[in-house]
Amino acid sequence: MDHFQYRDGELCAESVPLARIAAEVGTPFYCYATATLERHYTVFADAFEGLDTLICFAVKANSNIAVLRTLARLGAGADVVSGGELKRALVAGVAPDGIVFSGVGKTRQEMAEALAAGVRQINVESEPELEALGEVARAAGVTAPVAIRVNPDVDARTHAKIATGKSENKFGVAWTRAHEVYARAAAMDGIDIVGIAVHIGSQITDLEPFRDAYVRVRDLVATLRADGHPIESLDVGGGLGIPYGDDPVPSPAEYGTMVRTLLGDVDCRIILEPGRVIAGNAGILVTRVLYMKEGATRHFAIVDAAMNDLLRPALYDAVHAIMPVTEAAGEARLQEMDVVGPICETGDTFASGRPLPPLEADDLLAIRTAGAYCAVMASSYNSRPLVPEVLVNGDAFAVVRETIPVDTLLAHEPLPDWLASPATAGRRAARAAR
Ligand code: LLP
């Protein structure tokens, strides 16, 4: 259930017609529904009812401060992977002891910031990183609460670019070295072992890989405890897939039952790091048709959003549902269309041969399932502005990230003194001096 539905033929976010937001804010814009964020968080949390869990929303999926605060108010913690995300989580009001700091390459600066903030746990992914964290902690006169991320060598059966749990991936400590690394961590000043972490990938649509990974970590908890390590927390990562169309995916309840069955008796606090499953279907990107173009062999709808605004189709061949903001008449004949952006490369394509009702210039389209890994992955490629983000709540809406205009980007590009004046003037002056 999401909260982007037609009402009287107009697509609305909760009770707000998207056309109204477009008229006020301009296009393209991201739009998030509070009701969907709340519902997804609650359904996910309910799936673990009775277990000792901490749900740390993966900030990388959607780092908008208003979105984070919406979730934090429901009790969500945060999984952060950079000093920037840590800052956002804190500004949003996430309590430091609800924050887990993950990531394969934390800088010493980021480690120091995380320790100063008093985060719950830092997930360490290599021995050199462990050394560095020990040094940073000792220099700050504190002890770092550490979980070692292990790589369970499990195939998540997802897109290769977002699979992280195979031995050839850069993530985590090799399964076979876990014992040595824990022993080394235990012997280090400034390091306090608190748990184990694992994360095998994202958009996982089959529970089997989770099961394989969790069976391995369950066994590891037992052997590490037998070695004398205090394993209090078990961070099982994120990764639960979501429907981008009608594709079947396991529900949070099914995932929760699996976690309970496999890990319910390990006597650990279970940390979960969901991102996409909470935010993905809570957001859309609204774009306007600029031109309809008849190519030699294809029909193109050229829209004002582009791959810089929403990269997933170009990067992962991701398929996002697209629907007109004004509902098509029941008898409208669908036509196969390519929905493309204005950027100068063919990869700037949101959909190929997609059956859509007749469109014309100025029509608004909604690109669905754009609440996770969309706005956060935007760039200013082709010197395009970063588009605004809007949060709807019932019949109210607010801009929660303003446009970052091209002028702002240009203002951060100082010219060196030897280029202070435009080239032609400089050349003329040089000629005159000769
Ligand atoms: N925890 C860790 C350590 C992660 O690396 C990730 C995602 C998550 C949690 C959250 O996973 P989720 O529940 O959202 O699947 N840009 C890609 C997705 C990259 C995911 C990276 N890690 C995309 O657009 O599909």
Side-chain angles (χ1 to χ4, degrees):
M1 163 74 192
D2 66 59
H3 296 81
F4 301 103
Q5 304 284 341
Y6 289 115
R7 288 194 186 179
D8 299 328
E10 280 297 314
L11 190 63
C12 294
E14 303 194 33
S15 304
V16 185
L18 290 163
R20 208 175 101 207
I21 304 178
E24 270 188 48
V25 173
T27 54
F29 65 92
Y30 279 98
C31 180
Y32 309 123
T34 299
T36 313
L37 287 168
E38 291 181 343
R39 183 181 146 77
H40 287 178
Y41 180 82
T42 309
V43 165
F44 192 85
D46 286 353
F48 301 93
E49 188 73 59
L51 275 183
D52 180 12
T53 55
L54 174 64
I55 298 175
C56 294
F57 175 66
V59 171
K60 64 171 80 67
N62 188 319
S63 59
N64 183 277
I65 297 167
V67 168
L68 298 181
R69 182 164 292 188
T70 301
L71 297 172
R73 281 185 167 192
L74 300 173
D79 162 43
V80 302
V81 292
S82 69
E85 286 191 356
L86 173 62
K87 201 169 270 185
R88 284 176 177 278
L90 294 170
V91 169
V94 181
D97 77 347
I99 298 179
V100 171
F101 199 119
S102 308
V104 75
K106 302 169 204 75
T107 65
R108 284 161 194 262
Q109 167 83 22
E110 288 173 324
M111 291 171 177
E113 286 166 10
L115 291 173
V119 301
R120 163 172 291 273
Q121 171 175 316
I122 301 181
N123 293 352
V124 168
E125 300 215 17
S126 68
E127 289 166 80
E129 193 192 27
L130 183 65
E131 287 290 343
L133 181 58
E135 278 170 34
V136 172
R138 289 193 297 276
V142 296
T143 305
V146 164
I148 307 286
R149 176 169 172 182
V150 292
N151 182 320
D153 194 19
V154 162
D155 182 356
R157 294 182 223 159
T158 183
H159 192 288
K161 287 185 181 165
I162 54 175
T164 57
K166 285 288 287 173
S167 58
E168 64 262 33
N169 298 135
K170 68 181 175 181
F171 298 96
V173 164
W175 185 247
T176 46
R177 288 208 36 85
H179 287 276
E180 284 101 306
V181 179
Y182 271 89
R184 195 162 160 196
M188 267 168 82
D189 285 339
I191 298 291
D192 186 16
I193 295 173
V194 296
I196 304 178
V198 68
H199 170 81
I200 58 170
S202 191
Q203 186 54 14
I204 300 168
T205 54
D206 171 358
L207 290 181
E208 215 44 48
F210 286 118
R211 200 169 283 128
D212 292 347
Y214 297 170
V215 165
R216 292 201 133 185
V217 286
R218 183 184 60 191
D219 293 347
L220 189 60
V221 172
T223 47
L224 290 175
R225 280 184 177 152
D227 289 351
H229 302 297
I231 305 295
E232 297 145 20
S233 83
L234 180 48
D235 181 341
V236 297
L240 186 59
I242 60 170
Y244 278 80
D246 300 327
D247 29 331
V249 292
S251 67
E254 289 167 308
Y255 176 66
T257 302
M258 182 204 65
V259 170
R260 192 186 307 273
T261 309
L262 293 179
L263 305 173
D265 60 358
V266 288
D267 192 24
C268 280
R269 164 169 283 199
I270 310 274
I271 298 179
L272 299 136
E273 301 175 347
R276 194 188 310 262
V277 72
I278 307 290
N281 273 311
I284 59 174
L285 176 68
V286 177
T287 181
R288 197 178 282 282
V289 176
L290 292 173
Y291 306 107
M292 296 304 295
K293 171 170 168 172
E294 292 306 313
T297 58
R298 305 181 73 88
H299 310 290
F300 296 103
I302 302 170
V303 298
D304 65 358
M307 63 188 281
N308 72 299
D309 305 307
L310 198 169
L311 186 60
R312 302 194 71 261
L315 190 59
Y316 312 114
D317 294 318
V319 175
H320 287 249
I322 298 180
M323 56 206 280
V325 166
T326 300
E327 193 170 16
E331 73 279 9
R333 267 203 35 206
L334 304 185
Q335 185 179 42
E336 288 196 351
M337 248 177 267
D338 290 4
V339 181
V340 300
I343 282 185
C344 308
E345 51 183 287
T346 301
D348 185 22
T349 296
F350 290 119
S352 291
R354 182 75 57 89
L356 284 169
L359 296 174
E360 50 187 61
D362 279 342
D363 283 351
L364 293 170
L365 295 175
I367 305 181
R368 307 289 308 250
T369 321
Y373 305 110
C374 290
V376 284
M377 290 173 67
S379 77
S380 58
Y381 184 38
N382 274 208
S383 285
R384 292 166 53 89
L386 291 174
V387 304
E389 296 172 68
V390 170
L391 181 65
V392 168
N393 184 17
D395 58 6
F397 74 90
V399 172
V400 292
R401 211 270 311 270
E402 295 169 2
T403 307
I404 302 195
V406 172
D407 283 344
T408 304
L409 300 173
L410 265 51
H412 291 273
E413 291 181 30
L415 283 160
D417 12 340
W418 66 90
L419 292 174
S421 56
T424 47
R427 268 208 302 272
R428 239 180 272 128
R431 235 177 306 158
R434 274 206 296 271

